[in-house]
Amino acid sequence: MAVGGPRKDPRDPVVIMREAGFEPLEPYPGASTPWRSRHEACGREVTPRLGNISSGQGGCRFCAGTAPTGPTC
């Protein structure tokens, strides 16, 4: 058995990410590890966690308006 027990969602992690609108850019790192992906809606590279995507949270801080906007000075 894997450390931490079996995944709650039996689907392939790549399928979950694609269904949520993200294209993974690297191999699956684990549910609680940031996963480098491209958000299909805006084309930006982001690092959502599969666990957050699976629980219904958004994964693009740019589209959510929470990304840093640049230097503040």
Side-chain angles (χ1 to χ4, degrees):
M1 180 180 345
V3 175
R7 287 196 335 249
K8 292 179 181 177
D9 191 331
R11 295 178 297 158
D12 180 356
V14 173
V15 170
I16 295 169
M17 290 295 278
R18 286 181 176 156
E19 287 176 351
F22 297 92
E23 182 61 34
L25 300 175
E26 62 187 13
Y28 176 62
S32 61
T33 302
W35 192 359
R36 204 167 61 86
S37 305
R38 181 163 322 282
H39 186 217
E40 297 296 330
C42 70
R44 296 194 186 227
E45 187 174 308
V46 292
T47 53
R49 290 171 170 82
L50 181 67
N52 292 348
I53 297 298
S54 294
S55 69
Q57 296 180 22
C60 182
R61 60 189 188 153
F62 296 98
C63 291
T66 60
T69 57
T72 57
C73 21

mmCIF file with all atom_site columns, all heavy atoms in Angstrom, residues 1-31:
data_model
loop_
_atom_site.group_PDB
_atom_site.id
_atom_site.type_symbol
_atom_site.label_atom_id
_atom_site.label_alt_id
_atom_site.label_comp_id
_atom_site.label_asym_id
_atom_site.label_entity_id
_atom_site.label_seq_id
_atom_site.pdbx_PDB_ins_code
_atom_site.Cartn_x
_atom_site.Cartn_y
_atom_site.Cartn_z
_atom_site.occupancy
_atom_site.B_iso_or_equiv
_atom_site.pdbx_formal_charge
_atom_site.auth_seq_id
_atom_site.auth_comp_id
_atom_site.auth_asym_id
_atom_site.auth_atom_id
_atom_site.pdbx_PDB_model_num
ATOM 1   N N   . MET A 1 1  ? 0.846   -1.179 0.000   1.00 0.00 ? 1  MET A N   1
ATOM 2   C CA  . MET A 1 1  ? 0.000   0.000  0.000   1.00 0.00 ? 1  MET A CA  1
ATOM 3   C C   . MET A 1 1  ? 0.888   1.237  0.000   1.00 0.00 ? 1  MET A C   1
ATOM 4   O O   . MET A 1 1  ? 1.927   1.269  0.628   1.00 0.00 ? 1  MET A O   1
ATOM 5   C CB  . MET A 1 1  ? -0.924  0.003  1.217   1.00 0.00 ? 1  MET A CB  1
ATOM 6   C CG  . MET A 1 1  ? -1.786  1.211  1.218   1.00 0.00 ? 1  MET A CG  1
ATOM 7   S SD  . MET A 1 1  ? -2.999  1.499  2.534   1.00 0.00 ? 1  MET A SD  1
ATOM 8   C CE  . MET A 1 1  ? -3.236  0.055  3.411   1.00 0.00 ? 1  MET A CE  1
ATOM 9   N N   . ALA A 1 2  ? 0.445   2.277  -0.682  1.00 0.00 ? 2  ALA A N   1
ATOM 10  C CA  . ALA A 1 2  ? 1.198   3.525  -0.761  1.00 0.00 ? 2  ALA A CA  1
ATOM 11  C C   . ALA A 1 2  ? 1.190   4.230  0.592   1.00 0.00 ? 2  ALA A C   1
ATOM 12  O O   . ALA A 1 2  ? 0.282   4.050  1.399   1.00 0.00 ? 2  ALA A O   1
ATOM 13  C CB  . ALA A 1 2  ? 0.579   4.433  -1.816  1.00 0.00 ? 2  ALA A CB  1
ATOM 14  N N   . VAL A 1 3  ? 2.197   5.045  0.809   1.00 0.00 ? 3  VAL A N   1
ATOM 15  C CA  . VAL A 1 3  ? 2.273   5.832  2.036   1.00 0.00 ? 3  VAL A CA  1
ATOM 16  C C   . VAL A 1 3  ? 1.056   6.743  2.093   1.00 0.00 ? 3  VAL A C   1
ATOM 17  O O   . VAL A 1 3  ? 0.706   7.392  1.113   1.00 0.00 ? 3  VAL A O   1
ATOM 18  C CB  . VAL A 1 3  ? 3.571   6.673  2.061   1.00 0.00 ? 3  VAL A CB  1
ATOM 19  C CG1 . VAL A 1 3  ? 3.600   7.579  3.269   1.00 0.00 ? 3  VAL A CG1 1
ATOM 20  C CG2 . VAL A 1 3  ? 4.777   5.772  2.027   1.00 0.00 ? 3  VAL A CG2 1
ATOM 21  N N   . GLY A 1 4  ? 0.382   6.782  3.237   1.00 0.00 ? 4  GLY A N   1
ATOM 22  C CA  . GLY A 1 4  ? -0.792  7.624  3.376   1.00 0.00 ? 4  GLY A CA  1
ATOM 23  C C   . GLY A 1 4  ? -2.084  6.971  2.914   1.00 0.00 ? 4  GLY A C   1
ATOM 24  O O   . GLY A 1 4  ? -3.125  7.571  2.972   1.00 0.00 ? 4  GLY A O   1
ATOM 25  N N   . GLY A 1 5  ? -2.024  5.752  2.449   1.00 0.00 ? 5  GLY A N   1
ATOM 26  C CA  . GLY A 1 5  ? -3.227  5.045  2.023   1.00 0.00 ? 5  GLY A CA  1
ATOM 27  C C   . GLY A 1 5  ? -3.556  5.293  0.571   1.00 0.00 ? 5  GLY A C   1
ATOM 28  O O   . GLY A 1 5  ? -2.893  6.063  -0.111  1.00 0.00 ? 5  GLY A O   1
ATOM 29  N N   . PRO A 1 6  ? -4.584  4.635  0.076   1.00 0.00 ? 6  PRO A N   1
ATOM 30  C CA  . PRO A 1 6  ? -4.953  4.764  -1.340  1.00 0.00 ? 6  PRO A CA  1
ATOM 31  C C   . PRO A 1 6  ? -5.558  6.132  -1.629  1.00 0.00 ? 6  PRO A C   1
ATOM 32  O O   . PRO A 1 6  ? -6.101  6.793  -0.750  1.00 0.00 ? 6  PRO A O   1
ATOM 33  C CB  . PRO A 1 6  ? -5.982  3.657  -1.532  1.00 0.00 ? 6  PRO A CB  1
ATOM 34  C CG  . PRO A 1 6  ? -6.542  3.422  -0.185  1.00 0.00 ? 6  PRO A CG  1
ATOM 35  C CD  . PRO A 1 6  ? -5.429  3.716  0.794   1.00 0.00 ? 6  PRO A CD  1
ATOM 36  N N   . ARG A 1 7  ? -5.469  6.566  -2.888  1.00 0.00 ? 7  ARG A N   1
ATOM 37  C CA  . ARG A 1 7  ? -6.065  7.840  -3.295  1.00 0.00 ? 7  ARG A CA  1
ATOM 38  C C   . ARG A 1 7  ? -7.571  7.745  -3.161  1.00 0.00 ? 7  ARG A C   1
ATOM 39  O O   . ARG A 1 7  ? -8.170  6.709  -3.410  1.00 0.00 ? 7  ARG A O   1
ATOM 40  C CB  . ARG A 1 7  ? -5.701  8.151  -4.744  1.00 0.00 ? 7  ARG A CB  1
ATOM 41  C CG  . ARG A 1 7  ? -4.285  8.562  -4.937  1.00 0.00 ? 7  ARG A CG  1
ATOM 42  C CD  . ARG A 1 7  ? -4.048  9.236  -6.275  1.00 0.00 ? 7  ARG A CD  1
ATOM 43  N NE  . ARG A 1 7  ? -4.981  8.879  -7.319  1.00 0.00 ? 7  ARG A NE  1
ATOM 44  C CZ  . ARG A 1 7  ? -4.684  8.169  -8.394  1.00 0.00 ? 7  ARG A CZ  1
ATOM 45  N NH1 . ARG A 1 7  ? -3.469  7.727  -8.565  1.00 0.00 ? 7  ARG A NH1 1
ATOM 46  N NH2 . ARG A 1 7  ? -5.586  7.901  -9.297  1.00 0.00 ? 7  ARG A NH2 1
ATOM 47  N N   . LYS A 1 8  ? -8.196  8.855  -2.806  1.00 0.00 ? 8  LYS A N   1
ATOM 48  C CA  . LYS A 1 8  ? -9.656  8.884  -2.675  1.00 0.00 ? 8  LYS A CA  1
ATOM 49  C C   . LYS A 1 8  ? -10.332 8.849  -4.034  1.00 0.00 ? 8  LYS A C   1
ATOM 50  O O   . LYS A 1 8  ? -11.417 8.337  -4.176  1.00 0.00 ? 8  LYS A O   1
ATOM 51  C CB  . LYS A 1 8  ? -10.082 10.121 -1.901  1.00 0.00 ? 8  LYS A CB  1
ATOM 52  C CG  . LYS A 1 8  ? -9.654  10.080 -0.455  1.00 0.00 ? 8  LYS A CG  1
ATOM 53  C CD  . LYS A 1 8  ? -10.068 11.310 0.282   1.00 0.00 ? 8  LYS A CD  1
ATOM 54  C CE  . LYS A 1 8  ? -9.579  11.217 1.708   1.00 0.00 ? 8  LYS A CE  1
ATOM 55  N NZ  . LYS A 1 8  ? -9.873  12.409 2.466   1.00 0.00 ? 8  LYS A NZ  1
ATOM 56  N N   . ASP A 1 9  ? -9.699  9.430  -5.035  1.00 0.00 ? 9  ASP A N   1
ATOM 57  C CA  . ASP A 1 9  ? -10.259 9.455  -6.391  1.00 0.00 ? 9  ASP A CA  1
ATOM 58  C C   . ASP A 1 9  ? -9.501  8.427  -7.218  1.00 0.00 ? 9  ASP A C   1
ATOM 59  O O   . ASP A 1 9  ? -8.312  8.581  -7.449  1.00 0.00 ? 9  ASP A O   1
ATOM 60  C CB  . ASP A 1 9  ? -10.102 10.847 -6.988  1.00 0.00 ? 9  ASP A CB  1
ATOM 61  C CG  . ASP A 1 9  ? -10.899 11.027 -8.268  1.00 0.00 ? 9  ASP A CG  1
ATOM 62  O OD1 . ASP A 1 9  ? -11.110 10.026 -8.982  1.00 0.00 ? 9  ASP A OD1 1
ATOM 63  O OD2 . ASP A 1 9  ? -11.302 12.156 -8.547  1.00 0.00 ? 9  ASP A OD2 1
ATOM 64  N N   . PRO A 1 10 ? -10.158 7.356  -7.659  1.00 0.00 ? 10 PRO A N   1
ATOM 65  C CA  . PRO A 1 10 ? -9.455  6.295  -8.383  1.00 0.00 ? 10 PRO A CA  1
ATOM 66  C C   . PRO A 1 10 ? -9.070  6.641  -9.824  1.00 0.00 ? 10 PRO A C   1
ATOM 67  O O   . PRO A 1 10 ? -8.349  5.889  -10.460 1.00 0.00 ? 10 PRO A O   1
ATOM 68  C CB  . PRO A 1 10 ? -10.461 5.144  -8.369  1.00 0.00 ? 10 PRO A CB  1
ATOM 69  C CG  . PRO A 1 10 ? -11.784 5.830  -8.326  1.00 0.00 ? 10 PRO A CG  1
ATOM 70  C CD  . PRO A 1 10 ? -11.564 7.066  -7.481  1.00 0.00 ? 10 PRO A CD  1
ATOM 71  N N   . ARG A 1 11 ? -9.524  7.794  -10.346 1.00 0.00 ? 11 ARG A N   1
ATOM 72  C CA  . ARG A 1 11 ? -9.192  8.163  -11.724 1.00 0.00 ? 11 ARG A CA  1
ATOM 73  C C   . ARG A 1 11 ? -7.718  8.536  -11.858 1.00 0.00 ? 11 ARG A C   1
ATOM 74  O O   . ARG A 1 11 ? -7.066  8.909  -10.894 1.00 0.00 ? 11 ARG A O   1
ATOM 75  C CB  . ARG A 1 11 ? -10.049 9.344  -12.179 1.00 0.00 ? 11 ARG A CB  1
ATOM 76  C CG  . ARG A 1 11 ? -11.522 9.021  -12.252 1.00 0.00 ? 11 ARG A CG  1
ATOM 77  C CD  . ARG A 1 11 ? -12.340 10.221 -12.655 1.00 0.00 ? 11 ARG A CD  1
ATOM 78  N NE  . ARG A 1 11 ? -12.192 11.255 -11.620 1.00 0.00 ? 11 ARG A NE  1
ATOM 79  C CZ  . ARG A 1 11 ? -12.419 12.552 -11.828 1.00 0.00 ? 11 ARG A CZ  1
ATOM 80  N NH1 . ARG A 1 11 ? -12.790 12.987 -13.000 1.00 0.00 ? 11 ARG A NH1 1
ATOM 81  N NH2 . ARG A 1 11 ? -12.287 13.411 -10.854 1.00 0.00 ? 11 ARG A NH2 1
ATOM 82  N N   . ASP A 1 12 ? -7.237  8.475  -13.070 1.00 0.00 ? 12 ASP A N   1
ATOM 83  C CA  . ASP A 1 12 ? -5.871  8.854  -13.401 1.00 0.00 ? 12 ASP A CA  1
ATOM 84  C C   . ASP A 1 12 ? -5.687  10.342 -13.078 1.00 0.00 ? 12 ASP A C   1
ATOM 85  O O   . ASP A 1 12 ? -6.498  11.172 -13.489 1.00 0.00 ? 12 ASP A O   1
ATOM 86  C CB  . ASP A 1 12 ? -5.656  8.590  -14.890 1.00 0.00 ? 12 ASP A CB  1
ATOM 87  C CG  . ASP A 1 12 ? -4.280  8.945  -15.391 1.00 0.00 ? 12 ASP A CG  1
ATOM 88  O OD1 . ASP A 1 12 ? -3.452  9.486  -14.634 1.00 0.00 ? 12 ASP A OD1 1
ATOM 89  O OD2 . ASP A 1 12 ? -4.024  8.686  -16.577 1.00 0.00 ? 12 ASP A OD2 1
ATOM 90  N N   . PRO A 1 13 ? -4.619  10.722 -12.364 1.00 0.00 ? 13 PRO A N   1
ATOM 91  C CA  . PRO A 1 13 ? -4.396  12.132 -12.021 1.00 0.00 ? 13 PRO A CA  1
ATOM 92  C C   . PRO A 1 13 ? -4.341  13.056 -13.244 1.00 0.00 ? 13 PRO A C   1
ATOM 93  O O   . PRO A 1 13 ? -4.832  14.182 -13.191 1.00 0.00 ? 13 PRO A O   1
ATOM 94  C CB  . PRO A 1 13 ? -3.051  12.117 -11.300 1.00 0.00 ? 13 PRO A CB  1
ATOM 95  C CG  . PRO A 1 13 ? -2.900  10.731 -10.796 1.00 0.00 ? 13 PRO A CG  1
ATOM 96  C CD  . PRO A 1 13 ? -3.609  9.852  -11.779 1.00 0.00 ? 13 PRO A CD  1
ATOM 97  N N   . VAL A 1 14 ? -3.771  12.584 -14.343 1.00 0.00 ? 14 VAL A N   1
ATOM 98  C CA  . VAL A 1 14 ? -3.692  13.413 -15.552 1.00 0.00 ? 14 VAL A CA  1
ATOM 99  C C   . VAL A 1 14 ? -5.098  13.698 -16.080 1.00 0.00 ? 14 VAL A C   1
ATOM 100 O O   . VAL A 1 14 ? -5.407  14.827 -16.477 1.00 0.00 ? 14 VAL A O   1
ATOM 101 C CB  . VAL A 1 14 ? -2.815  12.743 -16.637 1.00 0.00 ? 14 VAL A CB  1
ATOM 102 C CG1 . VAL A 1 14 ? -2.872  13.514 -17.945 1.00 0.00 ? 14 VAL A CG1 1
ATOM 103 C CG2 . VAL A 1 14 ? -1.381  12.606 -16.154 1.00 0.00 ? 14 VAL A CG2 1
ATOM 104 N N   . VAL A 1 15 ? -5.978  12.713 -16.030 1.00 0.00 ? 15 VAL A N   1
ATOM 105 C CA  . VAL A 1 15 ? -7.362  12.894 -16.493 1.00 0.00 ? 15 VAL A CA  1
ATOM 106 C C   . VAL A 1 15 ? -8.064  13.933 -15.621 1.00 0.00 ? 15 VAL A C   1
ATOM 107 O O   . VAL A 1 15 ? -8.763  14.814 -16.131 1.00 0.00 ? 15 VAL A O   1
ATOM 108 C CB  . VAL A 1 15 ? -8.126  11.549 -16.478 1.00 0.00 ? 15 VAL A CB  1
ATOM 109 C CG1 . VAL A 1 15 ? -9.615  11.761 -16.725 1.00 0.00 ? 15 VAL A CG1 1
ATOM 110 C CG2 . VAL A 1 15 ? -7.535  10.598 -17.496 1.00 0.00 ? 15 VAL A CG2 1
ATOM 111 N N   . ILE A 1 16 ? -7.867  13.867 -14.321 1.00 0.00 ? 16 ILE A N   1
ATOM 112 C CA  . ILE A 1 16 ? -8.492  14.823 -13.400 1.00 0.00 ? 16 ILE A CA  1
ATOM 113 C C   . ILE A 1 16 ? -8.042  16.245 -13.737 1.00 0.00 ? 16 ILE A C   1
ATOM 114 O O   . ILE A 1 16 ? -8.856  17.166 -13.818 1.00 0.00 ? 16 ILE A O   1
ATOM 115 C CB  . ILE A 1 16 ? -8.143  14.482 -11.939 1.00 0.00 ? 16 ILE A CB  1
ATOM 116 C CG1 . ILE A 1 16 ? -8.748  13.132 -11.557 1.00 0.00 ? 16 ILE A CG1 1
ATOM 117 C CG2 . ILE A 1 16 ? -8.626  15.577 -10.993 1.00 0.00 ? 16 ILE A CG2 1
ATOM 118 C CD1 . ILE A 1 16 ? -8.247  12.574 -10.246 1.00 0.00 ? 16 ILE A CD1 1
ATOM 119 N N   . MET A 1 17 ? -6.740  16.417 -13.940 1.00 0.00 ? 17 MET A N   1
ATOM 120 C CA  . MET A 1 17 ? -6.209  17.745 -14.252 1.00 0.00 ? 17 MET A CA  1
ATOM 121 C C   . MET A 1 17 ? -6.750  18.250 -15.587 1.00 0.00 ? 17 MET A C   1
ATOM 122 O O   . MET A 1 17 ? -7.154  19.410 -15.703 1.00 0.00 ? 17 MET A O   1
ATOM 123 C CB  . MET A 1 17 ? -4.681  17.723 -14.272 1.00 0.00 ? 17 MET A CB  1
ATOM 124 C CG  . MET A 1 17 ? -4.065  17.534 -12.905 1.00 0.00 ? 17 MET A CG  1
ATOM 125 S SD  . MET A 1 17 ? -4.383  18.898 -11.781 1.00 0.00 ? 17 MET A SD  1
ATOM 126 C CE  . MET A 1 17 ? -3.100  20.027 -12.315 1.00 0.00 ? 17 MET A CE  1
ATOM 127 N N   . ARG A 1 18 ? -6.771  17.398 -16.589 1.00 0.00 ? 18 ARG A N   1
ATOM 128 C CA  . ARG A 1 18 ? -7.263  17.818 -17.910 1.00 0.00 ? 18 ARG A CA  1
ATOM 129 C C   . ARG A 1 18 ? -8.736  18.177 -17.858 1.00 0.00 ? 18 ARG A C   1
ATOM 130 O O   . ARG A 1 18 ? -9.168  19.134 -18.489 1.00 0.00 ? 18 ARG A O   1
ATOM 131 C CB  . ARG A 1 18 ? -6.986  16.733 -18.940 1.00 0.00 ? 18 ARG A CB  1
ATOM 132 C CG  . ARG A 1 18 ? -5.514  16.680 -19.313 1.00 0.00 ? 18 ARG A CG  1
ATOM 133 C CD  . ARG A 1 18 ? -5.219  15.633 -20.339 1.00 0.00 ? 18 ARG A CD  1
ATOM 134 N NE  . ARG A 1 18 ? -3.813  15.683 -20.733 1.00 0.00 ? 18 ARG A NE  1
ATOM 135 C CZ  . ARG A 1 18 ? -3.155  14.671 -21.243 1.00 0.00 ? 18 ARG A CZ  1
ATOM 136 N NH1 . ARG A 1 18 ? -3.773  13.514 -21.462 1.00 0.00 ? 18 ARG A NH1 1
ATOM 137 N NH2 . ARG A 1 18 ? -1.886  14.794 -21.554 1.00 0.00 ? 18 ARG A NH2 1
ATOM 138 N N   . GLU A 1 19 ? -9.524  17.411 -17.108 1.00 0.00 ? 19 GLU A N   1
ATOM 139 C CA  . GLU A 1 19 ? -10.951 17.717 -16.976 1.00 0.00 ? 19 GLU A CA  1
ATOM 140 C C   . GLU A 1 19 ? -11.163 19.067 -16.296 1.00 0.00 ? 19 GLU A C   1
ATOM 141 O O   . GLU A 1 19 ? -12.166 19.733 -16.526 1.00 0.00 ? 19 GLU A O   1
ATOM 142 C CB  . GLU A 1 19 ? -11.672 16.617 -16.201 1.00 0.00 ? 19 GLU A CB  1
ATOM 143 C CG  . GLU A 1 19 ? -11.851 15.346 -17.003 1.00 0.00 ? 19 GLU A CG  1
ATOM 144 C CD  . GLU A 1 19 ? -12.492 14.218 -16.202 1.00 0.00 ? 19 GLU A CD  1
ATOM 145 O OE1 . GLU A 1 19 ? -12.662 14.353 -14.965 1.00 0.00 ? 19 GLU A OE1 1
ATOM 146 O OE2 . GLU A 1 19 ? -12.795 13.182 -16.815 1.00 0.00 ? 19 GLU A OE2 1
ATOM 147 N N   . ALA A 1 20 ? -10.214 19.470 -15.450 1.00 0.00 ? 20 ALA A N   1
ATOM 148 C CA  . ALA A 1 20 ? -10.304 20.756 -14.754 1.00 0.00 ? 20 ALA A CA  1
ATOM 149 C C   . ALA A 1 20 ? -9.710  21.897 -15.576 1.00 0.00 ? 20 ALA A C   1
ATOM 150 O O   . ALA A 1 20 ? -9.723  23.046 -15.143 1.00 0.00 ? 20 ALA A O   1
ATOM 151 C CB  . ALA A 1 20 ? -9.593  20.653 -13.408 1.00 0.00 ? 20 ALA A CB  1
ATOM 152 N N   . GLY A 1 21 ? -9.162  21.591 -16.760 1.00 0.00 ? 21 GLY A N   1
ATOM 153 C CA  . GLY A 1 21 ? -8.644  22.628 -17.638 1.00 0.00 ? 21 GLY A CA  1
ATOM 154 C C   . GLY A 1 21 ? -7.160  22.898 -17.513 1.00 0.00 ? 21 GLY A C   1
ATOM 155 O O   . GLY A 1 21 ? -6.690  23.970 -17.885 1.00 0.00 ? 21 GLY A O   1
ATOM 156 N N   . PHE A 1 22 ? -6.413  21.924 -17.005 1.00 0.00 ? 22 PHE A N   1
ATOM 157 C CA  . PHE A 1 22 ? -4.964  22.074 -16.847 1.00 0.00 ? 22 PHE A CA  1
ATOM 158 C C   . PHE A 1 22 ? -4.232  20.982 -17.608 1.00 0.00 ? 22 PHE A C   1
ATOM 159 O O   . PHE A 1 22 ? -4.640  19.826 -17.581 1.00 0.00 ? 22 PHE A O   1
ATOM 160 C CB  . PHE A 1 22 ? -4.569  21.993 -15.369 1.00 0.00 ? 22 PHE A CB  1
ATOM 161 C CG  . PHE A 1 22 ? -5.168  23.102 -14.550 1.00 0.00 ? 22 PHE A CG  1
ATOM 162 C CD1 . PHE A 1 22 ? -6.379  22.934 -13.911 1.00 0.00 ? 22 PHE A CD1 1
ATOM 163 C CD2 . PHE A 1 22 ? -4.532  24.325 -14.450 1.00 0.00 ? 22 PHE A CD2 1
ATOM 164 C CE1 . PHE A 1 22 ? -6.953  23.957 -13.177 1.00 0.00 ? 22 PHE A CE1 1
ATOM 165 C CE2 . PHE A 1 22 ? -5.094  25.354 -13.723 1.00 0.00 ? 22 PHE A CE2 1
ATOM 166 C CZ  . PHE A 1 22 ? -6.312  25.172 -13.076 1.00 0.00 ? 22 PHE A CZ  1
ATOM 167 N N   . GLU A 1 23 ? -3.149  21.357 -18.270 1.00 0.00 ? 23 GLU A N   1
ATOM 168 C CA  . GLU A 1 23 ? -2.318  20.388 -18.977 1.00 0.00 ? 23 GLU A CA  1
ATOM 169 C C   . GLU A 1 23 ? -1.026  20.214 -18.174 1.00 0.00 ? 23 GLU A C   1
ATOM 170 O O   . GLU A 1 23 ? -0.217  21.145 -18.079 1.00 0.00 ? 23 GLU A O   1
ATOM 171 C CB  . GLU A 1 23 ? -1.996  20.871 -20.393 1.00 0.00 ? 23 GLU A CB  1
ATOM 172 C CG  . GLU A 1 23 ? -1.186  19.884 -21.191 1.00 0.00 ? 23 GLU A CG  1
ATOM 173 C CD  . GLU A 1 23 ? -1.883  18.536 -21.387 1.00 0.00 ? 23 GLU A CD  1
ATOM 174 O OE1 . GLU A 1 23 ? -3.132  18.493 -21.514 1.00 0.00 ? 23 GLU A OE1 1
ATOM 175 O OE2 . GLU A 1 23 ? -1.171  17.518 -21.419 1.00 0.00 ? 23 GLU A OE2 1
ATOM 176 N N   . PRO A 1 24 ? -0.822  19.036 -17.552 1.00 0.00 ? 24 PRO A N   1
ATOM 177 C CA  . PRO A 1 24 ? 0.399   18.807 -16.784 1.00 0.00 ? 24 PRO A CA  1
ATOM 178 C C   . PRO A 1 24 ? 1.652   18.943 -17.655 1.00 0.00 ? 24 PRO A C   1
ATOM 179 O O   . PRO A 1 24 ? 1.673   18.498 -18.795 1.00 0.00 ? 24 PRO A O   1
ATOM 180 C CB  . PRO A 1 24 ? 0.236   17.372 -16.279 1.00 0.00 ? 24 PRO A CB  1
ATOM 181 C CG  . PRO A 1 24 ? -1.240  17.145 -16.280 1.00 0.00 ? 24 PRO A CG  1
ATOM 182 C CD  . PRO A 1 24 ? -1.745  17.907 -17.477 1.00 0.00 ? 24 PRO A CD  1
ATOM 183 N N   . LEU A 1 25 ? 2.680   19.577 -17.103 1.00 0.00 ? 25 LEU A N   1
ATOM 184 C CA  . LEU A 1 25 ? 3.931   19.791 -17.822 1.00 0.00 ? 25 LEU A CA  1
ATOM 185 C C   . LEU A 1 25 ? 5.064   18.917 -17.290 1.00 0.00 ? 25 LEU A C   1
ATOM 186 O O   . LEU A 1 25 ? 6.188   19.009 -17.770 1.00 0.00 ? 25 LEU A O   1
ATOM 187 C CB  . LEU A 1 25 ? 4.343   21.271 -17.722 1.00 0.00 ? 25 LEU A CB  1
ATOM 188 C CG  . LEU A 1 25 ? 3.332   22.260 -18.297 1.00 0.00 ? 25 LEU A CG  1
ATOM 189 C CD1 . LEU A 1 25 ? 3.787   23.679 -18.036 1.00 0.00 ? 25 LEU A CD1 1
ATOM 190 C CD2 . LEU A 1 25 ? 3.123   22.011 -19.785 1.00 0.00 ? 25 LEU A CD2 1
ATOM 191 N N   . GLU A 1 26 ? 4.771   18.086 -16.289 1.00 0.00 ? 26 GLU A N   1
ATOM 192 C CA  . GLU A 1 26 ? 5.759   17.182 -15.705 1.00 0.00 ? 26 GLU A CA  1
ATOM 193 C C   . GLU A 1 26 ? 5.036   15.975 -15.132 1.00 0.00 ? 26 GLU A C   1
ATOM 194 O O   . GLU A 1 26 ? 3.816   15.995 -15.003 1.00 0.00 ? 26 GLU A O   1
ATOM 195 C CB  . GLU A 1 26 ? 6.575   17.907 -14.628 1.00 0.00 ? 26 GLU A CB  1
ATOM 196 C CG  . GLU A 1 26 ? 5.742   18.393 -13.463 1.00 0.00 ? 26 GLU A CG  1
ATOM 197 C CD  . GLU A 1 26 ? 6.526   19.255 -12.485 1.00 0.00 ? 26 GLU A CD  1
ATOM 198 O OE1 . GLU A 1 26 ? 7.644   19.692 -12.814 1.00 0.00 ? 26 GLU A OE1 1
ATOM 199 O OE2 . GLU A 1 26 ? 6.025   19.490 -11.384 1.00 0.00 ? 26 GLU A OE2 1
ATOM 200 N N   . PRO A 1 27 ? 5.758   14.911 -14.796 1.00 0.00 ? 27 PRO A N   1
ATOM 201 C CA  . PRO A 1 27 ? 5.120   13.722 -14.225 1.00 0.00 ? 27 PRO A CA  1
ATOM 202 C C   . PRO A 1 27 ? 4.410   14.034 -12.898 1.00 0.00 ? 27 PRO A C   1
ATOM 203 O O   . PRO A 1 27 ? 4.791   14.969 -12.180 1.00 0.00 ? 27 PRO A O   1
ATOM 204 C CB  . PRO A 1 27 ? 6.283   12.760 -13.993 1.00 0.00 ? 27 PRO A CB  1
ATOM 205 C CG  . PRO A 1 27 ? 7.356   13.223 -14.920 1.00 0.00 ? 27 PRO A CG  1
ATOM 206 C CD  . PRO A 1 27 ? 7.193   14.715 -15.018 1.00 0.00 ? 27 PRO A CD  1
ATOM 207 N N   . TYR A 1 28 ? 3.409   13.262 -12.573 1.00 0.00 ? 28 TYR A N   1
ATOM 208 C CA  . TYR A 1 28 ? 2.613   13.425 -11.355 1.00 0.00 ? 28 TYR A CA  1
ATOM 209 C C   . TYR A 1 28 ? 3.503   13.363 -10.110 1.00 0.00 ? 28 TYR A C   1
ATOM 210 O O   . TYR A 1 28 ? 4.166   12.368 -9.865  1.00 0.00 ? 28 TYR A O   1
ATOM 211 C CB  . TYR A 1 28 ? 1.546   12.334 -11.307 1.00 0.00 ? 28 TYR A CB  1
ATOM 212 C CG  . TYR A 1 28 ? 0.712   12.318 -10.063 1.00 0.00 ? 28 TYR A CG  1
ATOM 213 C CD1 . TYR A 1 28 ? -0.082  13.402 -9.729  1.00 0.00 ? 28 TYR A CD1 1
ATOM 214 C CD2 . TYR A 1 28 ? 0.697   11.204 -9.235  1.00 0.00 ? 28 TYR A CD2 1
ATOM 215 C CE1 . TYR A 1 28 ? -0.868  13.382 -8.596  1.00 0.00 ? 28 TYR A CE1 1
ATOM 216 C CE2 . TYR A 1 28 ? -0.081  11.179 -8.094  1.00 0.00 ? 28 TYR A CE2 1
ATOM 217 C CZ  . TYR A 1 28 ? -0.864  12.277 -7.781  1.00 0.00 ? 28 TYR A CZ  1
ATOM 218 O OH  . TYR A 1 28 ? -1.634  12.260 -6.654  1.00 0.00 ? 28 TYR A OH  1
ATOM 219 N N   . PRO A 1 29 ? 3.514   14.437 -9.288  1.00 0.00 ? 29 PRO A N   1
ATOM 220 C CA  . PRO A 1 29 ? 4.386   14.467 -8.110  1.00 0.00 ? 29 PRO A CA  1
ATOM 221 C C   . PRO A 1 29 ? 3.728   14.000 -6.816  1.00 0.00 ? 29 PRO A C   1
ATOM 222 O O   . PRO A 1 29 ? 4.398   13.858 -5.804  1.00 0.00 ? 29 PRO A O   1
ATOM 223 C CB  . PRO A 1 29 ? 4.745   15.948 -8.013  1.00 0.00 ? 29 PRO A CB  1
ATOM 224 C CG  . PRO A 1 29 ? 3.490   16.628 -8.469  1.00 0.00 ? 29 PRO A CG  1
ATOM 225 C CD  . PRO A 1 29 ? 2.948   15.735 -9.570  1.00 0.00 ? 29 PRO A CD  1
ATOM 226 N N   . GLY A 1 30 ? 2.421   13.821 -6.803  1.00 0.00 ? 30 GLY A N   1
ATOM 227 C CA  . GLY A 1 30 ? 1.691   13.471 -5.584  1.00 0.00 ? 30 GLY A CA  1
ATOM 228 C C   . GLY A 1 30 ? 0.587   14.492 -5.351  1.00 0.00 ? 30 GLY A C   1
ATOM 229 O O   . GLY A 1 30 ? 0.685   15.635 -5.799  1.00 0.00 ? 30 GLY A O   1
ATOM 230 N N   . ALA A 1 31 ? -0.448  14.104 -4.638  1.00 0.00 ? 31 ALA A N   1
ATOM 231 C CA  . ALA A 1 31 ? -1.642  14.939 -4.482  1.00 0.00 ? 31 ALA A CA  1
ATOM 232 C C   . ALA A 1 31 ? -1.397  16.250 -3.752  1.00 0.00 ? 31 ALA A C   1
ATOM 233 O O   . ALA A 1 31 ? -2.040  17.251 -4.033  1.00 0.00 ? 31 ALA A O   1
ATOM 234 C CB  . ALA A 1 31 ? -2.743  14.156 -3.774  1.00 0.00 ? 31 ALA A CB  1
#
